[in-house]
Amino acid sequence: MAKLTKTIVDRADPREKQYTVWDSDLKGFGLFVNPAGSKTYFVDYRTPEGKRRRMTIGRHGSITTEQARKLAIETLGGIVLQKEDPLLERQTRRSSLTVTDLCDNYLKAAKKGLILGRSGKPKKSSTLDTDTGRIERHIKPLLGKTLVIDLKRSDISKFIRDVTAGKTAFEGKSDKARGKIVVSGGAGTAARTVGLLGGILSYAVSEGIIEFNPAQGVKRPADKRRERRLVASEFKAIGKVLGNADAVAWQGIIGTKLLLLTGCRLGEIVKLRWEEVSLDEQCFRLGDSKTGASVRPIGKAAVEVLKEIRSDKAAGWVLPGIRHPSDHIGSLDDLIEKIMTMAGLIGVTAHTLRHSYASVAADLNYSDNTIGAIIGHAGSGTTSRYTHRLDTVLVAAADIISEEIKRQMN
């Protein structure tokens, strides 16, 4: 037995059966010689539990003898000093999930109702659509190829910085006619996306994929999204446009008025059906909202708007599509943007209208719980008690709030 060198390795001729050439200087370092002529370096060692293992280092020709020796020293040194099992680690890494794999598994579980949201119920399809968008546009491009077992807090921090800086920002066409996809960066996007990532990694912990969540304890940027509210002069400017907006489809006019006078979410008005509207009781009985089935009180001012377009045999969508009346309106947010441009206002969205409704209610000294119950806010304790039945006190409050907004618009 001699020290393995290039000369010794080159002289090791193939035999009828595979055989081993050991290195005399480094115990456990050797070379397999295959009958076909290939030669492979390996290390032979015992695990901390006493099991004998052999792990290949590389094929001669792909690496040199000295390179193989250095790798063998590193491997055997790790076994002695850190009590590791390098072969088991290699096998574990080969079978480990990437972040892309984990995200796909998470979404499959969520679609089966196995992932619960903050309400303790399975995530809604609309929420899953949002989650999917954040995964595809931010998480996979930045972390998709990384093994989940390799994720560190520093990786999560870098992810936040990259999303905040707009590294994943994107603008392009969607599958819908004249549709557009706008993926933004910024602190708000980073905060919401890393919140989702933290949930995905918590799922990984629960599945035994990793032992702890690397996103836990990582400082997130403050999510300062959509805090803008309308002031009296802005309500008046919008009211003036809504009274003289012949250039805007009627769905945009009515939809904007309903958002202003009810505090509903954009999707709740877009998908509102006449079967869910009760003008006599002054309420919407929503079959599906962000917080599930919900009863929303509405004021007389909103009822008057609905009466403008309600026919004797009203059925189907309250706001039918402009080109395809059999479907609901699909461009209300665009129509709102057009109306706000005509009013000379910048940065006013459907959520701004909802937030402004709540702000006017607060100006009228209604409590957070009352406001939350009226607009169906998921964070309101009162909401859980009132969303499934109509309360006359809330109807009276909705009357006063919507009347005040109508007054400011006029």
Side-chain angles (χ1 to χ4, degrees):
M1 184 168 63
K3 178 181 177 179
L4 283 179
T5 63
K6 181 178 184 302
T7 301
I8 294 295
V9 173
D10 289 341
R11 289 178 179 175
D13 296 326
R15 301 175 185 174
E16 187 176 343
K17 293 183 179 180
Q18 177 178 293
Y19 69 96
T20 301
V21 180
W22 291 102
D23 182 81
S24 60
D25 285 12
L26 182 60
K27 185 178 180 181
F29 177 42
L31 177 80
F32 290 130
V33 182
N34 191 279
S38 64
K39 301 168 185 179
T40 305
Y41 299 103
F42 70 92
V43 289
D44 185 281
Y45 66 94
R46 289 189 181 276
T47 69
E49 294 78 24
K51 295 181 179 179
R52 186 179 182 183
R53 296 194 190 280
R54 283 188 176 181
M55 185 179 79
T56 60
I57 295 176
R59 182 169 293 187
H60 180 61
S62 298
I63 59 173
T64 66
T65 308
E66 284 309 307
Q67 287 172 335
R69 181 181 299 279
K70 289 178 181 179
L71 291 171
I73 292 172
E74 291 176 5
T75 302
L76 294 169
I79 296 167
V80 174
L81 298 176
Q82 302 177 30
K83 300 186 181 301
E84 295 177 343
D85 184 349
L87 181 60
L88 178 61
E89 182 180 353
R90 176 187 287 179
Q91 292 171 343
T92 300
R93 293 181 67 79
R94 284 177 176 172
S95 61
S96 292
L97 294 176
T98 63
V99 172
T100 290
D101 296 330
L102 175 63
C103 289
D104 292 342
N105 290 350
Y106 174 87
L107 289 174
K108 287 178 183 177
K111 288 175 182 177
K112 292 179 181 179
L114 303 178
I115 305 294
L116 304 182
R118 286 179 295 179
S119 64
K121 298 178 180 179
K123 288 194 170 188
K124 294 171 60 63
S125 60
S126 57
T127 303
L128 288 177
D129 288 342
T130 301
D131 287 352
T132 300
R134 289 173 180 162
I135 287 170
E136 296 296 334
R137 297 297 182 185
H138 300 295
I139 297 177
K140 285 186 178 181
L142 294 175
L143 295 173
K145 295 180 181 179
T146 305
L147 292 179
V148 179
I149 59 173
D150 286 342
L151 275 179
K152 303 182 291 293
R153 286 182 177 176
S154 58
D155 297 319
I156 308 300
S157 295
K158 184 177 184 302
F159 172 81
I160 292 173
R161 291 195 300 272
D162 286 344
V163 176
T164 301
K167 193 170 182 178
T168 50
F170 170 81
E171 185 170 326
K173 294 182 179 180
S174 72
D175 294 334
K176 296 180 179 179
R178 297 188 301 167
K180 184 171 66 173
I181 298 173
V182 179
V183 180
S184 62
T189 299
R192 295 189 289 276
T193 306
V194 80
L196 170 62
L197 178 59
I200 293 171
L201 292 172
S202 291
Y203 166 75
V205 172
S206 69
E207 293 294 300
I209 298 169
I210 49 178
E211 293 184 4
F212 73 95
N213 186 340
Q216 192 169 4
V218 175
K219 190 174 182 179
R220 303 178 189 179
D223 185 358
K224 298 180 181 179
R225 62 172 178 173
R226 303 182 293 190
E227 294 181 347
R228 190 189 187 315
R229 66 161 289 182
L230 299 174
V231 296
S233 60
E234 292 175 323
F235 274 118
K236 187 174 182 179
I238 294 172
K240 185 176 181 180
V241 171
L242 292 177
N244 302 280
D246 295 335
V248 180
W250 70 265
Q251 291 93 331
I253 303 297
I254 298 298
T256 303
K257 287 182 179 180
L258 290 176
L259 288 167
L260 282 162
L261 297 172
T262 66
C264 284
R265 298 178 179 89
L266 176 66
E268 293 166 351
I269 295 299
V270 165
K271 297 180 181 179
L272 184 65
R273 301 183 67 88
W274 283 114
E275 294 85 349
E276 298 174 315
V277 177
S278 177
L279 299 183
D280 293 335
E281 294 180 292
Q282 286 188 227
C283 70
F284 294 153
R285 297 185 179 277
L286 304 177
D288 187 25
S289 70
K290 187 175 181 180
T291 54
S294 177
V295 177
R296 302 288 177 77
I298 59 174
K300 290 186 176 66
V303 170
E304 291 172 4
V305 172
L306 289 164
K307 284 182 176 179
E308 291 178 23
I309 59 171
R310 183 180 176 92
S311 64
D312 293 336
K313 297 181 180 180
W317 305 110
V318 172
L319 300 177
I322 297 173
R323 293 189 176 186
H324 305 285
S326 60
D327 198 1
H328 61 72
I329 183 74
S331 57
L332 183 56
D333 49 349
D334 293 332
L335 295 173
I336 292 171
E337 183 179 358
K338 186 174 182 179
I339 289 169
M340 298 309 151
T341 300
M342 294 170 68
L345 303 180
I346 298 173
V348 177
T349 65
H351 188 85
T352 308
L353 307 186
R354 174 175 165 83
H355 182 65
S356 298
Y357 180 98
S359 298
V360 170
D363 294 342
L364 294 170
N365 294 320
Y366 286 107
S367 69
D368 289 344
N369 281 345
T370 298
I371 298 169
I374 293 174
I375 66 175
H377 195 282
S380 170
T382 305
T383 303
S384 61
R385 299 196 297 273
Y386 287 108
T387 52
H388 298 292
R389 64 185 178 89
L390 189 62
D391 187 271
T392 55
V393 174
L394 296 180
V395 172
D399 267 342
I400 294 172
I401 298 166
S402 62
E403 195 59 39
E404 172 59 20
I405 292 173
K406 180 182 176 182
R407 184 190 69 78
Q408 293 193 35
M409 289 170 63
N410 293 333

